[in-house]
Each structure stands twice: as structure tokens, then as C-alpha cells.
Amino acid sequence: MNAGSTPRRSARGNKPKTGVPKSLPLIWWRSVPASDFHSSAIDVMRGTIANIEMLHEPRWRKAVAGDAASAFNLALSIDPTGLGQSKLNLAMTALVICAHEGNPTACVVVASVINRTKGIRAKEELAYSWALRASAMMADRTAIEAPD
């Protein structure tokens, strides 16, 4: 799908053609497999967090700007079983953006946080999708770096 196009609904009417649900972009990380994130969904997520401030959190602005280390350090600092679900949703949204842009460590951290978070349906499959994406990224890098 092109960034400027309108997503088509599925027969059930609850998902755009990309497979990303019409729900709030801040919770897509909890339900959308890695393979279903496309550039248009990432653009929506990026726009959602662009003007949000996280008070007393120096890593936030760097995470929003695409610094993967800040994003995964922030995400790992939040207790996924605690009361900071809104903060976790913000951090994970930034982290998914970094993962989608090619950072395999971000993919592994997404998988780890999903596995540690309660209340996620089919979390094993969802976490596996991110681990698989990380593995594919690393395989691609190895193939590129391998001497002929």
C-alpha cells in the first residue's frame, strides 16, 4: 500500500488491507505480528508519538527520533506487569518503529517484552514473529558481509 492511499477494509471490516487493526496505534505492538507492519502503519505510529512528551524521561526524545538504544533501554526499564502501561505503550511504539527500520536488537527486545507482558493474546506467536524478523535481518547482514 502506498503511504498516500486509503487502506481497504477486510470482509469483516475491522482491519485495513495491511493487516494492522484500526485500533489505537499505541497498542498495535500487542497484537500485530512483525510481518504485518508496513511503511504506512509505521508512519501512523511515528505521527502518533511525534508530539508526545514523557516527563522526567531523558531517553524519550532520542527514542522518538529513532535511537534504538534509547528505545530498548526505555522499554526494558518499564515493568510490563506494573501500572505503567501507557508509558510502556509509548516506549514499545518507538521500539517497533526502530525494529521495522532494520534493528535486530530492537526486534529481540520487542519479543522479550511481549513475552513478559500479561494479557496479550497469542503472545508466543507474536513474540516469535519478532524473533523471526530479527533472525532474518541477521541472516541478511551475514549474507551481505560474507566474502565471495
Side-chain angles (χ1 to χ4, degrees):
M1 174 175 23
N2 295 330
S5 66
T6 304
R8 289 189 193 158
R9 290 180 174 213
S10 69
R12 294 175 57 198
N14 62 350
K15 287 186 179 182
K17 188 177 179 184
T18 62
V20 177
K22 288 178 52 180
S23 62
L24 185 64
L26 295 176
I27 61 171
W28 287 347
W29 69 273
R30 296 172 175 268
S31 60
V32 179
S35 61
D36 285 353
F37 281 97
H38 300 282
S39 295
S40 58
I42 296 299
D43 289 344
V44 169
M45 293 169 72
R46 188 176 283 115
T48 301
I49 64 171
N51 295 314
I52 294 175
E53 288 299 327
M54 193 180 292
L55 299 176
H56 308 295
E57 182 48 71
R59 297 170 287 197
W60 175 243
R61 279 288 116 212
K62 288 181 179 179
V64 171
D67 182 64
S70 294
F72 61 73
N73 284 323
L74 178 58
L76 290 173
S77 74
I78 301 166
D79 180 5
T81 62
L83 300 173
Q85 292 298 308
S86 295
K87 188 174 179 181
L88 181 63
N89 288 336
L90 290 168
M92 290 300 289
T93 298
L95 186 60
V96 164
I97 293 167
C98 293
H100 182 268
E101 292 178 344
N103 189 298
T105 305
C107 293
V108 171
V109 175
V110 170
S112 174
V113 173
I114 287 169
N115 272 325
R116 297 181 314 148
T117 304
K118 293 181 181 179
I120 295 179
R121 290 184 183 175
K123 72 174 162 181
E124 291 80 15
E125 293 86 359
L126 190 60
Y128 178 75
S129 77
W130 287 103
L132 188 62
R133 184 176 185 113
S135 178
M137 286 178 189
M138 293 305 295
D140 288 346
R141 286 184 183 179
T142 302
I144 291 170
E145 294 171 0
D148 290 333

